[in-house]
């Protein structure tokens, strides 16, 4: 995070020590972060659209004295991060707040500072306790922040109380992630999934302001409040909003159900042809899309940002012996991934649960890769994908500390270290994937006429050819195939002598 501003440094009467006021507090830690990693430039229309209209530092010609005209300028939200450390080590709490910083910057805000408070559990009323709220209010004023982002999901009462006391907008981790998803969703299905998650989140957090709480009369009301349609209170404005949200949620669920049918049909078609599928899952910004591009040349958008790609991408590739199988890149995971997101993206995440093999991608350069593995496996358990065979792929091996990777390689047998950027380890990974794919198990010995070249092609793409010979009567081959193809080859089977 950026360092404190000069205005903040000049204020001497503000007590920034968040360790004195709350009797429930055990220990308090405040941390600042200032380092960012920059990824390589990537070409592509979608990436260009995202980077359009970015400000160039030092190009401003803003006037210093404007007295006769109204002048406005667009500024990034200036945010202050606040976290509650309830368990684990101080390093875990700082890593969580550092991730929140990256999320905030991905959403398009300027992070001013971040503080962490040590508590046994979050305060039920204000998340950080009433004493710390007063200190936080002084810090907000000193920094000139206009938004506070909490590293956790706030209850509606906590959100309301914090906004009333801090006098600035308060956002929790869930709303921040939903905002990023809304910015990055491109497909019709992705946009519908994000909107559904947002509405489910908002429904419990509606607030009435002034006239929004007034009663809505059923018809024209006389001076005494009587008359047809006016003999009782109607819906409040907030009740009307909640009903309209419920109606919209029902509509989105119907639309997603239809889209789910289309996706299921595509999966069934692949199963009918016994095409093995490999799902790529893992923590956000671990390099899943880069890995897909390195293996299949898919050309998927790659950006050094959290949740850069949300829409699943499926690409077809072949093994060294000609068998066809598919790779599917899925949405990235993050610690404390909102439950509404998991529910809304369930049809997409089913691609992982239905896969024959899972590539679990881990960012090898991350300070705490084991925490990433744990967070991803929590989501995999929630979507019913724990039984899918898994290969741990440690990406960004060129940037990783080999000593830090040693515990993972010792604990996760069969893990592979690769670098999608340099190509290191990609061939080894391909060989491991091919060896882990389900193998056809029915052996056939067939003599196929030359006019059935389609069957020969299918044997190559869907099975494993052991021997092949071109004779005067046709193509003689022995191969291992799946049951459906074995049935189609049955008329051409060579009788055993």
């Amino acid at each position: 995070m950026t360092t404190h501003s000069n205005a903040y440094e000049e204020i001497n009467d503000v007590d920034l020590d968040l360790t004195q006021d709350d009797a429930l507090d055990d220990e308090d830690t405040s941390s600042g972060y200032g380092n960012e990693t920059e990824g390589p430039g990537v070409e592509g229309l979608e990436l260009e659209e995202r980077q359009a209209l970015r400000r160039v530092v030092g190009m401003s010609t803003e006037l210093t004295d404007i007295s006769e005209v109204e002048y406005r300028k667009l500024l990034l939200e200036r945010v202050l991060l606040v976290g509650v450390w309830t368990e684990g080590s101080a390093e875990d709490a700082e890593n969580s707040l550092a991730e929140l910083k990256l999320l905030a910057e991905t959403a398009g805000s300027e992070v001013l500072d971040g503080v962490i408070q040590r508590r046994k559990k979050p305060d039920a009323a204000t998340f950080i306790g009433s004493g710390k709220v007063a200190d936080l209010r002084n810090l907000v004023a000193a920094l000139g922040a206009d938004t506070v982002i909490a590293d956790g999901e706030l209850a509606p009462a906590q959100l309301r109380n914090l906004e009333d006391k801090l006098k600035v907008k308060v956002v929790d981790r869930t709303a921040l992630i939903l905002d990023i998803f809304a910015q990055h969703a491109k497909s019709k299905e992705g946009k519908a999934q994000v909107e559904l998650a947002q509405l489910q989140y908002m429904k419990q957090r509606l607030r009435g302001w002034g006239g929004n709480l007034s009663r809505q009369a059923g018809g024209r009301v006389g001076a005494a409040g009587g008359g047809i349609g006016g003999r009782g209170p109607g819906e409040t404005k907030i009740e009307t909003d909640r009903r309209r949200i419920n109606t919209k949620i029902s509509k989105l669920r119907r639309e997603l159900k239809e889209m789910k049918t289309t996706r299921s049909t595509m999966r069934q078609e692949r199963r009918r042809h016994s095409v093995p599928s490999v799902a790529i899952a893992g923590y956000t910004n671990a390099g899943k899309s880069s890995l897909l591009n390195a293996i299949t040349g898919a050309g998927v958008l790659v950006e050094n940002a959290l949740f850069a790609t949300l829409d699943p991408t499926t690409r077809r590739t072949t093994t060294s012996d000609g068998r066809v199988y598919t790779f599917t890149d899925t949405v990235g995971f993050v610690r404390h991934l909102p439950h509404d997101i998991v529910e809304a993206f369930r049809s997409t995440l089913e691609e992982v649960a239905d896969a024959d093999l899972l590539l679990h991608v881990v960012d090898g350069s991350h300070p705490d890769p084991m925490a990433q593995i744990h967070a991803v496996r929590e989501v995999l358990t929630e979507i019913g994908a724990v039984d899918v065979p898994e290969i741990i792929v440690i990406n960004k091996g060129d940037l990783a500390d080999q000593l830090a990777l040693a515990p993972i390689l010792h604990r996760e047998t069969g893990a592979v270290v690769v670098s999608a950027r340099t190509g290191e380890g990609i061939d080894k990974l391909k060989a491991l994937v091919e060896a882990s794919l389900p193998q056809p198990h029915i052996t056939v010995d067939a003599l196929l006429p030359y006019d059935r070249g389609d069957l020969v092609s299918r044997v190559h793409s869907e099975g494993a050819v052991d021997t092949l010979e071109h004779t005067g009567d046709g193509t003689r081959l022995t191969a291992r195939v799946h049951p459906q193809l074995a049935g189609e080859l049955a008329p051409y089977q060579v009788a055993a002598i």
Side-chain angles (χ1 to χ4, degrees), residues 159-409:
L159 193 65
R160 181 173 60 253
N161 292 336
L162 280 174
E163 286 192 342
D164 291 343
K165 294 179 182 298
L166 298 177
K167 306 304 181 183
V168 295
K169 182 172 67 174
V170 178
V171 178
D172 62 11
R173 186 186 184 96
T174 299
L176 179 61
I177 293 176
L178 289 173
D179 183 79
I180 296 172
F181 272 55
Q183 293 181 41
H184 291 180
K186 294 297 181 183
S187 68
K188 181 179 179 181
E189 182 180 18
K191 291 179 180 178
Q193 289 168 329
V194 173
E195 186 178 0
L196 175 60
Q198 287 178 315
L199 290 174
Q200 289 173 329
Y201 173 83
M202 291 169 51
K203 185 172 67 171
Q204 305 301 325
R205 292 166 174 81
L206 291 177
R207 295 181 62 179
W209 294 93
N212 288 350
L213 290 177
S214 62
R215 297 290 181 175
Q216 307 298 307
R220 183 174 181 179
V221 182
I228 297 175
R231 290 189 173 88
E235 291 181 307
T236 62
K237 181 63 166 60
I238 197 170
E239 290 168 347
T240 304
D241 292 341
R242 186 171 288 116
R243 176 170 52 81
R244 294 166 77 176
I245 286 177
N246 287 331
T247 301
K248 182 64 173 178
I249 287 176
S250 299
K251 179 182 178 182
L252 287 172
R253 282 177 172 163
R254 288 194 300 269
E255 293 177 355
L256 287 172
K257 186 176 181 181
E258 295 175 358
M259 298 176 192
K260 179 181 178 180
T261 302
T262 302
R263 188 176 295 279
S264 299
T265 301
M266 296 172 64
R267 283 200 298 266
Q268 290 172 1
E269 185 69 12
R270 291 198 295 266
R271 290 195 197 100
R272 188 172 70 85
H273 292 287
S274 297
V275 178
S277 61
V278 179
I280 303 177
Y283 215 76
T284 181
N285 205 31
K288 299 181 299 299
S289 298
S290 299
L291 189 64
L292 178 67
N293 290 343
I295 296 176
T296 66
V300 178
L301 168 71
V302 174
E303 185 179 6
N304 185 25
L306 304 185
F307 300 113
T309 53
L310 299 181
D311 303 317
T313 302
T314 299
R315 292 292 184 268
R316 176 173 295 196
T317 186
T318 58
T319 63
S320 56
D321 58 359
R323 289 183 61 204
V324 174
Y325 66 103
T326 62
F327 272 104
T328 300
D329 178 25
T330 60
V331 62
F333 303 149
V334 71
R335 70 182 80 191
H336 310 306
L337 188 67
H339 180 73
D340 291 337
I341 283 288
V342 177
E343 284 298 316
F345 278 74
R346 184 166 293 276
S347 62
T348 299
L349 295 176
E350 285 176 357
E351 295 282 354
V352 179
D354 292 340
D356 297 299
L357 180 64
L358 172 64
L359 296 189
H360 181 167
V361 185
V362 182
D363 183 356
S365 63
H366 191 270
D368 190 6
M370 287 305 302
Q372 288 193 349
I373 294 176
H374 179 69
V376 171
R377 284 178 173 167
E378 282 185 346
V379 180
L380 294 177
T381 300
E382 190 172 349
I383 64 176
V386 291
D387 296 329
V388 179
E390 178 189 52
I391 298 177
I392 295 291
V393 182
I394 304 174
N395 193 23
K396 305 183 184 180
D398 54 321
L399 303 176
D401 182 357
Q402 300 303 317
L403 292 178
L405 298 183
I408 304 178
L409 296 174

Side-chain angles (χ1 to χ4, degrees), residues 415-458:
V416 183
V417 180
V418 304
S419 172
R421 185 173 68 89
T422 65
E424 175 189 356
I426 295 297
D427 291 338
K428 180 180 178 181
L429 177 61
K430 287 182 179 180
L432 184 58
V433 168
E434 292 182 14
S436 303
L437 291 175
Q439 299 292 331
H441 58 279
I442 299 180
T443 301
V444 296
D445 183 1
L447 180 62
L448 299 174
Y450 285 119
D451 60 356
R452 293 310 310 267
D454 58 319
L455 286 178
V456 176
S457 177
R458 286 187 58 190

Side-chain angles (χ1 to χ4, degrees), residues 446-457 469-477 488-489 491-494:
L447 180 62
L448 299 174
Y450 285 119
D451 60 356
R452 293 310 310 267
D454 58 319
L455 286 178
V456 176
S457 177
E469 180 185 2
H470 297 291
T471 69
D473 298 323
T475 303
R476 175 80 178 267
L477 56 81
E488 298 184 39
L489 293 173
Y492 307 102
Q493 284 271 40
V494 176

